[in-house]
Structure formats: structure tokens, C-alpha cells
Amino acid sequence: MKKNIAIIMGGFSSEYEISLKSGNVVYQTLNNEKYAAFRIHVFEDKWVYVDDADQEFPVDKNDFSITINQKKITFDCVFNAIHGSPGEDGFMQAYFKLLNIPQTSCDMYQAALTFNKRDCLSVLKPYGIKTAESFYVNLGDEIDPKAIVKKVGLPCFVKANKAGSSFGITKVYKLEDMHRAIDVAFKEDDEIIIEAFLDGTEVSVGVITYKGEVVVLPITEIVSDNDFFDYEAKYLGESQEITPARLTKEQENKVNKVAKQVYETLKMKGFSRSEYIFKDGEPHLLEVNTVPGLTKASILPQQAAAVGISLEMLFDNAIQEALK
């Protein structure tokens, strides 16, 4: 019997277009002799199953089922391809936990924690994980650019705290540009994090549970054609992503150890991709992504391919791990 797999994609954030691409790659890649895959679009105004003719059928949120030709279909597993809210911040994880439906990403608490950059970094610091110096601002707080710069220096990064794909990020060089950068970040979130600029090699490290074991994938070096790894660099080809990264053996061992430690300390499951910058020879954690991009051009699939794990193997493993 084929397993019914719901591939959830879309979401409520600026990342929905990237999520649709990821979800469609999963849909096209899954072995259709093994799985019956269904594309489920999750948006604020509708949850629908979209068939191959682009017809839409509503999802019954009471039990996450669909009805086609008067036949009710339920799902054995959910493949989570929603970047940002509600797929990466814990909401969908909690919903499926309540319905007792297995899903491919980490659990609710881990999703919520890692999606909140400030909280995630704070939790990991006592375990010796190095991070950039940071300053926190909430919407409505009085802004004192001088106090911010005194703590983090210039240049610095102003980021939306709970947003992915480099939305709401500005690199600030001058004190007078701080207010504008904060306004940009507040368009994405009501909390922001301002971090010191770390001048060093930036790398991205995929860690997954593969065939029951925690596996650190080959490291990718990020060389942006732009001032930093912004949206255009990430998705519009304005960067070089070099796998394996051009690191010394010592650097490679250090970042592998830290990435695995982060995954295991947080009790992660499924996919994760964490970003680091080397400063004084030590990897400093920037953030952890729990629903990374899943297209062939995306970083984690590139890393998996480098060790002979195809997209089909990667996605099949995610489902098999969720069904355990």
C-alpha cells in the first residue's frame, strides 16, 4: 500500500514563493510507486489541496483531511516544506502533534526556539557556542543609536528576529542610518536583533538525521557578490556557494563539532542548516534553520549530493525517519 504524503508549502511570510518552489521539488522527486503525494497550500486565507490540473480542494482543518469525488483522504505523514511561519516556528508542528500525524521537521519547541534568533543564541551560549555581540530592540522601545553602536560597533547588522531568507536585514555603516535600518526590520517582525559585524569566512552546515544517525554534511562556503548574503545573493544567483568549503582541516573539524553539538543540544530532528562566521579561527553561530530550501540549487541538497545522497534519497529518508 502506498503511503499518503501531504507536502505542505506556502505559508504566511515573505518566504512563501521560495516555499512553493521547495514543495514542488519534493512533489516531483518522491517515488510515486512508494508514495501518493499531495500538494497542500497553506495560506492565511485558505488551506487547499492543489491537483495536477491546478484545481483546488479545501482541507478540513479538524482532522487535516481532504475530500475528492466524495472520497475522504487522510495522511500517513506530512512533509514540511514551509519556510518561515507557520511551518518553521512551531505552529504546524503543534497542530500535527495534536492530530497525531507524523511530520518531517523538528518538534514544536525546537521549531519555535530556533526561529527566534535571540532566544536560540541565548539558550546555546551556556554550552560554549560562540556568537556575535548583540543588542535587542522591541517595537515601541526608545531607540538610542549611540548605545547600540557602543555595544556592537560599526558596521553592524540589523535583523528581524523572527524572519528567514534574509528579509528585513540591513548592514549599517553609519550611525545616522540606524533608524532607517530598524524601520526595515520592523516591517518583518516586532522584535529585532542587532549584531556586530564578524569579518571572516562564512559557512553553512547541514546536519540531518540519516538512517537513524546524526550526520554532518559537507560544509558550504558562502561568498556573496553583494555586501552580505542577502536575498538576491541567496536566491537570485548573486553569490558563490562552494562545497566543500575552502577551510583548513582544523576549521572544518571545529565547525563540524559545533554544528553537531547545536543539533544534539537542541534535540533536533529532520533537516537543519546552521550558519557560522569564523572570527579569530573560531566558528560563531549566526542562526539555525529547520526548514531549509529544498530545490536542487539549495544549499542543503547540494551538500547531500556531495556525499552521494540524491534528492530522492534525502526526501525518502525524511519520511522514513518521521514514520519511526
Side-chain angles (χ1 to χ4, degrees):
M1 280 285 288
K2 287 186 188 181
K3 298 277 189 195
N4 286 343
I5 309 297
I7 305 164
I8 58 171
M9 59 187 90
F12 306 163
S13 74
S14 307
E15 299 180 79
Y16 77 91
E17 289 179 348
I18 307 300
S19 170
L20 292 175
K21 286 182 182 175
S22 288
N24 278 305
V25 169
V26 177
Y27 178 69
Q28 290 152 13
T29 303
L30 284 181
N31 184 340
N32 58 20
E33 290 180 9
K34 196 171 181 180
Y35 303 115
F38 297 80
R39 294 180 299 171
I40 307 291
H41 288 194
V42 174
F43 293 111
E44 285 183 291
D45 59 345
K46 64 180 179 183
W47 290 25
V48 291
Y49 158 60
V50 181
D51 70 9
D52 288 338
D54 286 334
Q55 270 188 290
E56 295 183 354
F57 300 83
V59 173
D60 184 345
K61 294 182 190 174
N62 293 297
D63 60 359
F64 196 68
S65 66
I66 57 175
T67 301
I68 302 168
N69 298 328
Q70 299 182 316
K71 184 187 173 190
K72 181 173 175 171
I73 297 170
T74 57
F75 298 102
D76 299 295
C77 183
V78 173
F79 197 110
N80 183 5
I82 297 178
H83 312 311
S85 187
E88 208 166 0
D89 56 6
F91 286 104
M92 297 307 287
Q93 289 84 347
Y95 169 70
F96 291 123
K97 182 75 173 172
L98 289 171
L99 293 177
N100 204 26
I101 301 174
Q103 54 87 33
T104 57
S105 55
C106 62
D107 291 334
M108 171 197 72
Y109 174 72
Q110 283 74 13
L113 177 64
T114 51
F115 197 66
N116 187 312
K117 296 182 185 78
R118 295 176 356 181
D119 289 359
C120 184
L121 297 174
S122 298
V123 163
L124 288 168
K125 267 185 186 175
Y127 292 90
I129 306 297
K130 295 178 172 60
T131 63
E133 191 68 64
S134 57
F135 192 102
Y136 303 156
V137 182
N138 292 333
L139 189 63
D141 286 357
E142 193 173 322
I143 310 295
D144 182 350
K146 286 181 180 173
I148 295 169
V149 170
K150 186 177 179 185
K151 185 164 189 205
V152 301
L154 287 171
C156 63
F157 284 103
V158 178
K159 305 178 179 180
N161 187 40
K162 303 186 296 292
S165 289
S166 304
F167 288 106
I169 297 187
T170 306
K171 188 174 181 182
V172 174
Y173 288 90
K174 295 184 285 192
L175 188 71
E176 55 266 33
D177 293 337
M178 187 69 73
H179 277 291
R180 187 188 63 80
I182 288 171
D183 289 342
V184 168
F186 277 140
K187 287 192 176 107
E188 294 291 331
D189 190 23
D190 60 359
E191 300 172 355
I192 65 175
I193 180 170
I194 302 167
E195 290 181 322
F197 169 61
L198 299 177
D199 191 8
T201 302
E202 181 171 353
V203 295
S204 185
V205 189
V207 184
I208 61 174
T209 303
Y210 192 73
K211 297 183 177 176
E213 292 189 14
V214 175
V215 174
V216 182
L217 296 171
I219 303 160
T220 299
E221 181 182 346
I222 308 296
V223 184
S224 178
D225 298 342
N226 301 339
D227 199 16
F228 63 95
F229 196 44
D230 58 9
Y231 181 88
E232 286 74 19
K234 199 173 278 189
Y235 295 114
L236 303 181
E238 295 175 17
S239 68
Q240 294 175 62
E241 295 162 6
I242 302 163
T243 309
R246 299 167 299 182
L247 299 177
T248 65
K249 198 67 191 168
E250 184 185 14
Q251 286 177 316
E252 187 182 321
N253 290 339
K254 277 182 179 177
V255 78
N256 278 348
K257 185 179 175 185
V258 171
K260 189 174 184 186
Q261 183 188 357
V262 166
Y263 191 94
E264 292 179 336
T265 298
L266 296 177
K267 296 186 167 61
M268 297 288 293
K269 292 179 189 171
F271 302 129
S272 85
R273 202 191 72 232
S274 45
E275 320 297 329
Y276 301 85
I277 288 180
F278 279 91
K279 182 192 175 194
D280 302 326
E282 298 293 330
H284 287 58
L285 176 65
L286 300 179
E287 63 179 20
V288 179
N289 302 284
T290 59
V291 186
L294 297 172
T295 68
K296 275 184 187 164
S298 299
I299 292 172
L300 190 136
Q302 285 182 43
Q303 295 173 341
V307 285
I309 301 173
S310 67
L311 280 181
E312 186 180 331
M313 291 160 71
L314 191 67
F315 300 158
D316 180 74
N317 177 78
I319 292 168
Q320 293 306 316
E321 287 293 328
L323 288 171
K324 281 182 178 177

